[in-house]
Amino acid sequence: MVMTTGSTAADPGGPIAVQVAADRAWTTTSIDVKRGDELAVAASGVVNNGKFKNITPDGMKKYTHGAAALPSASHPSRSAALMTLVARIGEGPVFTIGMTSTFTATHDGPLQLGVNDVQPSDNSGSWTVTIRHRAVAAAAGASTGGA
């Protein structure tokens, strides 16, 4: 179940709060993004992965024994730390969100949030993610009278 509170796609300028469960590969938000839209994301909370507990949205940079926690080719993102909050727009490429991120959309489609993990089904907990979405195309059309 996806819990979304706040504004909807009809009011893209207001903040949206989404619970991202760590045991799901992807959580689809209610935000339909267009190329050029601007988004600001802030995440909080902790999740657990087997013996690793209290993982923030910034993920695991190292294991408890000090070795680097590097993702494999089967992780959603090879460039994000393990258990990091990641995103994608539609079927576009996966990118890192972590605790905070501001970005301009390069693809059209629904904003999806997930955890950079190969087997999310053994995870528990969730992150609370707040998203601000500024629809640039809509704002430009409104300021020019839609012409």
Side-chain angles (χ1 to χ4, degrees):
M1 178 165 111
V2 177
M3 296 198 46
T4 304
T5 60
S7 65
T8 64
D11 181 19
I16 303 239
V18 179
Q19 288 298 122
V20 178
D23 63 352
R24 295 179 52 150
W26 293 104
T27 298
T28 301
T29 70
S30 62
I31 300 174
D32 190 32
V33 178
K34 301 293 182 204
R35 184 183 314 246
D37 286 1
E38 298 169 351
L39 293 100
V41 181
S44 62
V46 294
V47 298
N48 304 304
N49 171 268
K51 64 181 177 178
F52 303 105
K53 308 292 184 206
N54 300 318
I55 304 166
T56 71
D58 279 340
M60 297 171 39
K61 310 290 192 259
K62 295 185 180 229
Y63 291 110
T64 53
H65 61 279
L70 302 173
S72 69
S74 54
H75 281 79
S77 172
R78 296 268 336 249
S79 62
L82 296 179
M83 297 299 293
T84 298
L85 177 63
V86 293
R88 70 179 177 192
I89 298 170
E91 295 301 318
V94 176
F95 55 96
T96 303
I97 296 293
M99 298 282 282
T100 62
S101 181
T102 302
F103 59 94
T104 301
T106 58
H107 290 80
D108 294 346
L111 175 65
Q112 299 176 313
L113 302 170
V115 61
N116 196 32
D117 190 20
V118 174
Q119 186 178 350
S121 62
D122 67 351
N123 298 338
S124 63
S126 64
W127 293 311
T128 300
V129 180
T130 302
I131 306 158
R132 285 190 134 333
H133 173 214
R134 182 172 176 263
V136 174
S143 67
T144 62

